[in-house]
Every structure is written in structure tokens, then in C-alpha cells.
Amino acid sequence: MKTTYEICVVHGDGIGPEVGKATVRALEAAFGDTSPLHFSEHPAGAQHFLEAGESFPGETFEACRAADAILHGAAGMPGVVHPDGTEAGLDFTLTLRGKLDLYANVRPIKLLPGVRSPLRDAGAIDYVIVRENSEGLYAARGAGTLLRGEVAVDPLVQTRKGIERIVRFAFELARTRGGAPRDGRRRVTCCDKANVLRSYAFFRSVFDEIAAQYPDVEAEHVLIDAMTVHLINRPSHYDVIVTENMFGDIISDLGAATIGGMGMSPSAELGDGNGFFQASHGSAPDIAGKGIANPYGTVLASALMLNWLGRRHADARLVEAADRIEAAVNFALADEMALSRDLGGTAGSEEITDILCARLRGRA
Ligand code: IPM
Ligand code: MN
């Protein structure tokens, strides 16, 4: 347990500052006058690239590395690109993942009461996508080749170490959960394309080796293409899904769509020494500055942050605050009290944040 936890806040672009500031307010409300959190703000992203010529300053990286946790709004502006066509605004997230070895991207997909799923008879949806975050197809970023302007290659990298640690992470996570909503069984699903590509067949074989060490948790395989169907037709079957980087990127958006959209989807990127927390969504430049951004995803990410910090430092105050933040979100959504526009309501970011803060301060 520490007396103070340093939280490095990077607001970023588009709606990033709106959802980031809403979340810092909620965190302050959760602790009142005796907050163990200390926030410092640092620049990064596409706007900073336009203004200062760099998307991720060295000082910001140092602050991230030294902090107890990193909280991010969102980043990216379409058209602000490097000469190779990739987006400058994404440098922050992608560089951080690599330099801090944030290998486990944890994306809970949970349908909250009061939120309507576009799925008919969805039933309960409560699973976690564990996305391998340090290799796979993303390992090629900045290292792929464009030959003579006519041949482009981005290799897909899977290592034994990388697969073992992410699969182990998934099984350990399953042990802390109550199983799949449909049958209460603890289950880890390996999502791959082992029928076609060697790299995924290797992923699956290492998965099977690790799975044998967890006889108390059910293990199964699903091919990525079939997975997109199952996540629509029987989401309540799933508990923990572990998958390669690019597949995890794609199915986490699909999963988010089933629980109210990207605005409801938090994300934690964890390494052995650092944790990075944000919503899964992007910077939504089309609605930036209008006060209508949905802050729930980032607020829920801050609950993941407190939970991770609390367990890491054996600090019950933080775990308890995480529970209260989740409860406040449930309170605001229940009876459709504070639905943002993407959820079919009319509540703006401020209104939602006010409701969350009042609840967290015990005034609602
Ligand atoms: C995500 C995002 C990122 C990704 C971008 C911003 C680099 O889409 O976190 O899912 O592709 O991983
Ligand atoms: Mn994504």
C-alpha cells in the first residue's frame, strides 16, 4: 500500500479531453478530500504533433514510465499522418505498448442494465477478451517493408514466450471470475485461424499445453471467422477469450457493438510493471467539442485501473472505490436515467458526469 499513487493523464485528441476530464472528476468524487491519487497531465497525440512536431514527447514517456498508472482519453486525427501513411495520433498508444511491454490487453464486454443491446434475446453478456498486445500482426508496425513501391509485407510474429504469458494470463483471469453467464462454467476460448496459418496453429498448440495446467477451467477453440457469428448468436456462452493482437482488435469492436457500442467498452493494457487505461474507442472528431461524448467507457476504464492498482499494492481503498465507480455507472444507466446519445438518450457528458459525481459523493 502506498500513500499516494501517481496517475499520468494524457487527454489526447477529439473527444479525448472531454472523456478524460469527466473521468478525473469521477475519480476525485470517489475519494473526496482524502484522495490517494495524484494526477499530472502530459501532452501526446495528433494535435500535439501538429503544434510541436512530435506526437509523443520524451518527457511524456518518462512520466508514463514512472507513474503508477496511465490514464488516456483518446488519440488520432484523420489525415494527420506520417510519410508512410500511418496515423501520427496512434504513436502514443502503440509506442507505449512496445516500450513498456504492455502485453495483456484486457477488454471486458459486459451488457449493463439499462443499456439496450442491438441483439434480439441477447441474454446476459459478460465476457472478457484478452488480446495479446505485444506481437502478432502488430509486431510489424514500423518494421514491415514496402519494396520498390510495389511489394508490401507485414509479417505476423508469434513467439512461445508471448503466447505462454498471454494464455496463462487468460486462465488466471478465468479463475477470478464466476464463469460464463449461460452455464456458470469457467471457460477460456482460444480464438485463432489454426486451420489455415502455421502461426495460429502454433498459438493453438501452446494454448493446449498451458490449458492442461488448468484442469479446473474448461478450454475450447473457435476459429476467428466463426467467432464473429457466435459473438452475435450466443454471447452468453463466453467467459474469457484469448487471441492474437489483430484478431483481438477486431472482435473487441464487434463485442462492444453488442453492449451499446464503443462508448461502453473499457480497456486495460497491462505489463508486469505498468498499466495503461482508456476506453476502446477512438477520438471521434465528428462529435468533439459538442459536449455529447459518452464518458462511460473511460470512467469504466478508471475502475479497471483502481482494481489493478488496488490488487497490485494490496490497497483495499482502491478496490472498494473501483466497486463504487461501477455501482455509480450502473445507477446512472438503470431506468435509462442518463443515457448518452449513442445509447439512444439525450444526456450530455457534463450531465452524466454530474450524476456520477453526486452518487459517488453520496448525494444521489
Ligand atoms: C485499439 C485501437 C488501437 C489499435 C489504435 C488506436 C492503435 O484501435 O486500442 O483497439 O489498433 O490497437
Ligand atoms: Mn481497436
Side-chain angles (χ1 to χ4, degrees), residues 30 62 64 96 115 243 264:
E62 243 342 282
C64 289
L96 210 53
V115 177
T243 192
M264 297 308 294

Side-chain angles (χ1 to χ4, degrees), residues 85-105:
T86 60
E87 260 192 65
L90 309 189
D91 294 344
F92 172 61
T93 290
L94 291 167
T95 308
L96 210 53
R97 285 176 187 168
K99 281 192 161 177
L100 298 181
D101 196 22
L102 305 172
Y103 63 88
N105 186 352

Side-chain angles (χ1 to χ4, degrees), residues 180-239:
R182 185 157 81 176
D183 53 13
R185 295 178 61 172
R186 294 200 166 125
R187 176 177 296 124
V188 178
T189 306
C190 172
C191 174
D192 59 45
K193 192 73 185 176
N195 54 343
V196 176
L197 294 177
R198 277 195 184 137
S199 55
Y200 290 113
F202 181 55
F203 190 100
R204 184 181 287 200
S205 70
V206 176
F207 172 88
D208 289 344
E209 282 173 31
I210 305 290
Q213 298 165 20
Y214 293 84
D216 51 315
V217 181
E218 198 176 297
E220 64 174 15
H221 314 126
V222 176
L223 296 169
I224 177 70
D225 47 351
M227 195 60 160
T228 63
V229 178
H230 295 326
L231 291 182
I232 302 295
N233 286 343
R234 52 165 198 171
S236 62
H237 169 80
Y238 294 99
D239 179 14

Side-chain angles (χ1 to χ4, degrees), residues 75 89-91 93-94 97 105 107 131 133 138 245 248-250 252-253 262 267 269 278-282:
L90 309 189
D91 294 344
T93 290
L94 291 167
R97 285 176 187 168
N105 186 352
R107 299 193 152 173
R131 167 188 182 188
N133 214 34
Y138 277 52
N245 206 334
D249 181 44
I250 297 168
S252 59
D253 280 23
M262 297 305 293
S267 174
E269 306 188 37
Q278 58 181 336
S280 300
H281 60 66

